[in-house]
Amino acid sequence: MSFAESITVEALEADPYPIYAKLRRSAPVAFVPAVNLWFVTRWKDVETVAKSPDIFSAVVGTSPVERSFGKPTILTTDGATHRQLRQGVDPKYRPRTVAAYAGDLVRSIAEPFLDRIAEQGSAELMADYFEPVSTLSLARSLGLADIDMPTLRRWFYGLAQGAINFENDPKRQEIADAISAEVGAAIRPTLDRLARAPRRLGAVAYAA
């Protein structure tokens, strides 16, 4: 059995970086049966793949992202379909646009968490600061201003279970499908409202 054949989903989730390092040394382009994917682990090779859509397609026939989020998605399309999907997010998430609103948005979310940590005197930085600040910042930028942190955390975790389910674990997919349905029901009123009265994207768009 080759090293690539011995890789397990559990090992990748525990710490993928030693695995990537070993692959770079011994098999920089290798098929990993556990996740039914080819791994490309050297920088130049990754760059070549990413910049050669005419040779390496983003389309994945058994994509867990599409199973969990529906198709098509930005991550799993090329060409005109990809460009059309990008048009829906590009105006809001171009670097210059993000720079205009991200500071105020993130600061308004981060400062209360920092004050709470200061009062407590200690914290688990990932759970008590980085995760909630990043999660809430993304949610607010998407216009989800009324969703609380526990719900967002549960949504992000549940959707991730589907997005990374390359091994087709039915339990993971069940979690992702249930969360996907819940998210759809929760955000549909906002989407309907924006469809009726679109708001100009810009520095205040995160308050939509």
Side-chain angles (χ1 to χ4, degrees), residues 29 38 40 44-60 78-79:
V29 179
W38 286 88
V40 181
K44 285 294 184 182
D45 295 334
V46 171
E47 190 174 42
T48 297
V49 169
K51 292 183 177 181
S52 306
D54 53 326
I55 302 173
F56 301 101
S57 174
V59 177
V60 180
D78 298 305

Side-chain angles (χ1 to χ4, degrees), residues 1-204:
M1 181 183 292
S2 68
F3 174 66
E5 292 172 324
S6 72
I7 296 171
T8 65
V9 172
E10 292 75 18
L12 285 167
E13 292 185 348
D15 186 359
Y17 298 106
I19 295 172
Y20 298 158
K22 187 168 183 178
L23 286 174
R24 275 194 292 274
R25 293 191 299 269
S26 61
V29 179
F31 182 74
V32 179
V35 291
N36 195 35
L37 290 173
W38 286 88
F39 279 30
V40 181
T41 50
R42 288 182 179 169
W43 180 275
K44 285 294 184 182
D45 295 334
V46 171
E47 190 174 42
T48 297
V49 169
K51 292 183 177 181
S52 306
D54 53 326
I55 302 173
F56 301 101
S57 174
V59 177
V60 180
T62 57
S63 168
V65 173
E66 291 185 345
R67 281 203 309 271
S68 302
F69 292 88
K71 62 170 65 175
T73 74
I74 290 176
L75 296 176
T76 56
T77 54
D78 298 305
T81 302
H82 177 82
R83 288 192 294 273
Q84 184 179 21
L85 292 171
R86 283 282 298 270
Q87 289 175 358
V89 296
D90 267 357
K92 179 71 179 295
Y93 292 106
R94 289 193 180 101
R96 185 174 297 178
T97 304
V98 172
Y101 68 77
D104 290 340
L105 171 62
V106 176
R107 191 176 299 108
S108 68
I109 294 168
E111 287 179 349
F113 283 97
L114 291 173
D115 291 341
R116 193 173 308 139
I117 291 171
E119 291 174 5
Q120 295 172 175
S122 64
E124 203 291 309
L125 283 179
M126 184 59 71
D128 297 334
Y129 181 71
F130 290 117
E131 183 184 21
V133 170
S134 63
T135 299
L136 287 169
S137 296
L138 176 59
R140 300 303 182 259
S141 77
L142 291 169
L144 303 176
D146 300 323
I147 311 298
D148 60 44
M149 181 57 206
T151 300
L152 290 169
R153 179 182 276 129
R154 184 168 53 81
W155 282 2
F156 282 24
Y157 171 82
L159 292 174
Q161 293 304 297
I164 64 174
N165 189 21
F166 291 98
E167 72 273 28
N168 295 318
D169 182 334
K171 291 183 179 179
R172 276 189 160 172
Q173 199 59 49
E174 184 179 354
I175 293 171
D177 290 345
I179 293 297
S180 180
E182 183 182 340
V183 171
I187 69 173
R188 191 167 291 114
T190 298
L191 296 178
D192 290 343
R193 174 171 56 81
L194 291 175
R196 292 192 302 271
R199 293 189 58 169
R200 181 180 60 83
L201 292 172
V204 297

